[in-house]
Amino acid sequence: MGGTDEPEVTGGPDVTAMIDRLADELTARGDLTEPRWRAALHAVPRHRFVPASAWAVPDRPGGSGLRIDRAADPADWWDAVYADTAIATQVDEGAGDPALPSGAWTSSCSAPGVVLAFLERLRPLNHHRVLEVGTGTGWTAGLLSACLGARQVTSVEIDEVLAERAARNLASLGLAPRLVVDDGALGDPSGAPYDRVHVTCGVDRVPPAWAAQTRPGGVIVLPWSPGWGIGHLAVLAVTPDGAALGRLAGPAGFMMLRAQRRPSGPPAPGRAEIVASATRIDPRGMLGESPGAEVAIAALVPDVRSHVEVGVDGSCRFWAIENRADDPAWASVEFLPAQDEYPVHQYGDRRLWDELEAAYQHWIAWGRPERERFGLTAAPSGQQVWLDRPDQPLTL
């Protein structure tokens, strides 16, 4: 189902050339700038962490997935492994088949471009102790171990099956970082203080344990995934009072930390009245058009997730859904090409479309700032999103 429990392939392609070709592509895009990470790609070849059959998705907008099978079509398998693809390694917590396009991904071998973007922003020094949250296949723990030495790396994984598989994958390369089976939201206090924290799962609220276990001046790199849009790479520095603050630095679409998972799909029918209206605002401006707008909306309209349905006729329905399982409030907007107005329906004790419009208008009034002007502060007392400076939190 995942990992490389099968014997190592012999007589395959020129892996060194494939890694160099991938590294050249990532370098040209700006995702790989440090020679040590190129060396780590060679020392910890990705194919040792990829299942013999899996579902692979290119890391690009609109990229369609494909089944890869090392036995049935080895050329496609090798091409996918050494391309910028995300590859499923677990579906539905082990109940599904990672070689099929159905089910919810619960572990993957992340696309190399995303992995390197995170590692380069982590910027660990040779003496640093690193805590990784979310071992998964073990590939990033292996890259960190190749760069720093396995003794410097602790990786926490909540799923015992995944942790055991990762240990075998790493051992096949002679690597033995410290692997811990536990809830990653708790970190690992036994190895603290850490100098760097590398997070491979999305979070809406940054767990306080991560900053508490990091020495002042240390860095936490994580996917901030509030639910509105894909998510954002956040680079946070830890302060002496136990807070972590820093800017958003790019896109980051990751599976959520299990303790912070949200419902998916459209909401179930409710029993209360649905209020109908119309808007002239194109909903695409709020979702998918500007990451900066998505940050502002996530901050000003909290605890809300987005969902989009696309019809074969080019129609779309945009949903905003409150993050609660019990009868959530929601709003939907129907979009058809060449419309002057878009039908709006709202349900529940929040008028979510009204909240979204207000947040969007604030973003426009601020001069349409892009993602990199926003930052995040996660303190023991709470969490804030700010614009330009930490003393400018976003408010309506």
Side-chain angles (χ1 to χ4, degrees), residues 362-385:
H362 272 71
W363 176 72
I364 292 172
W366 294 330
R368 299 170 60 90
E370 285 298 339
R371 170 169 40 212
E372 289 71 21
R373 288 182 58 192
F374 291 96
L376 181 69
T377 297
S381 59
Q383 186 168 293
Q384 289 182 323
V385 179

Side-chain angles (χ1 to χ4, degrees), residues 60-112:
R60 62 175 185 268
S64 59
L66 73 156
R67 178 188 172 95
I68 56 173
D69 189 306
R70 191 170 66 197
D73 192 339
D76 276 357
W77 187 86
W78 284 101
D79 285 346
V81 168
Y82 287 108
D84 200 25
T85 56
I87 299 175
T89 56
Q90 188 194 68
V91 171
D92 295 332
E93 296 183 20
D97 184 350
L100 297 177
S102 57
W105 288 25
T106 46
S107 185
S108 71
C109 195
S110 297

Side-chain angles (χ1 to χ4, degrees), residues 13-377:
D14 184 344
V15 174
T16 298
M18 297 185 84
I19 293 172
D20 278 332
R21 186 163 56 248
L22 173 62
D24 289 343
E25 176 189 333
L26 298 178
T27 299
R29 283 190 350 213
D31 291 331
L32 175 59
T33 65
E34 297 185 51
R36 61 176 176 165
W37 296 120
R38 179 185 282 263
L41 290 174
H42 284 284
V44 190
R46 191 181 187 222
H47 69 270
R48 303 292 286 266
F49 299 83
V50 173
S53 60
W55 193 259
V57 178
D59 189 35
R60 62 175 185 268
S64 59
L66 73 156
R67 178 188 172 95
I68 56 173
D69 189 306
R70 191 170 66 197
D73 192 339
D76 276 357
W77 187 86
W78 284 101
D79 285 346
V81 168
Y82 287 108
D84 200 25
T85 56
I87 299 175
T89 56
Q90 188 194 68
V91 171
D92 295 332
E93 296 183 20
D97 184 350
L100 297 177
S102 57
W105 288 25
T106 46
S107 185
S108 71
C109 195
S110 297
V114 173
V115 170
L116 269 298
F118 270 63
L119 291 176
E120 291 227 333
R121 286 171 174 81
L122 194 70
R123 294 181 180 171
L125 301 179
N126 289 339
H127 67 278
H128 280 167
R129 291 205 297 265
V130 177
L131 171 67
E132 180 183 54
V133 177
T135 310
T137 67
W139 188 45
T140 52
L143 295 172
L144 286 163
S145 297
C147 188
L148 305 177
R151 288 177 155 188
Q152 304 297 102
V153 179
T154 296
S155 187
V156 182
E157 171 58 58
I158 194 171
D159 188 309
E160 186 173 354
V161 172
L162 292 178
E164 291 176 355
R165 190 176 296 146
R168 291 196 298 271
N169 293 342
L170 290 160
S172 74
L173 294 168
L175 297 172
R178 183 166 173 263
L179 303 182
V180 177
V181 180
D182 207 343
D183 182 354
L186 305 176
D188 180 56
S190 66
Y194 298 99
D195 302 282
R196 297 289 187 268
V197 178
H198 176 256
V199 182
T200 70
C201 48
V203 292
D204 180 1
R205 313 296 297 185
V206 180
W210 298 349
Q213 294 171 23
T214 304
R215 61 175 86 246
V219 172
I220 305 172
V221 177
L222 59 88
W224 181 57
S225 306
W228 190 261
I230 293 176
H232 315 276
L233 192 165
V235 183
L236 311 181
V238 174
T239 62
D241 60 358
L245 60 91
R247 292 187 180 274
L248 306 181
F254 280 69
M255 289 165 281
M256 294 297 291
L257 181 78
R258 292 196 183 185
Q260 295 190 21
R261 284 179 179 168
R262 296 180 285 262
S264 61
R271 295 182 297 275
E273 178 187 5
I274 296 175
V275 178
S277 60
T279 182
R280 295 181 63 197
I281 294 178
D282 188 333
R284 293 172 296 182
M286 298 184 182
L287 186 65
E289 189 172 280
S290 170
E294 293 177 7
V295 174
I297 288 170
L300 298 175
V301 188
D303 302 317
V304 172
R305 63 183 173 91
S306 59
H307 177 71
V308 179
E309 296 174 323
V310 181
V312 295
D313 60 352
S315 64
C316 292
R317 184 184 293 267
F318 292 78
W319 293 88
I321 309 161
E322 195 175 21
N323 284 330
R324 71 183 193 201
D326 181 23
D327 199 24
W330 55 261
S332 70
V333 182
E334 298 173 39
F335 171 81
L336 284 168
Q339 279 181 283
D340 293 328
E341 288 190 334
Y342 308 103
V344 176
H345 295 88
Q346 300 188 81
Y347 170 89
D349 53 8
R350 291 176 68 178
R351 292 291 178 258
L352 289 183
W353 181 254
D354 297 345
E355 292 185 39
L356 292 172
E357 278 201 2
Y360 184 60
Q361 296 293 354
H362 272 71
W363 176 72
I364 292 172
W366 294 330
R368 299 170 60 90
E370 285 298 339
R371 170 169 40 212
E372 289 71 21
R373 288 182 58 192
F374 291 96
L376 181 69
T377 297

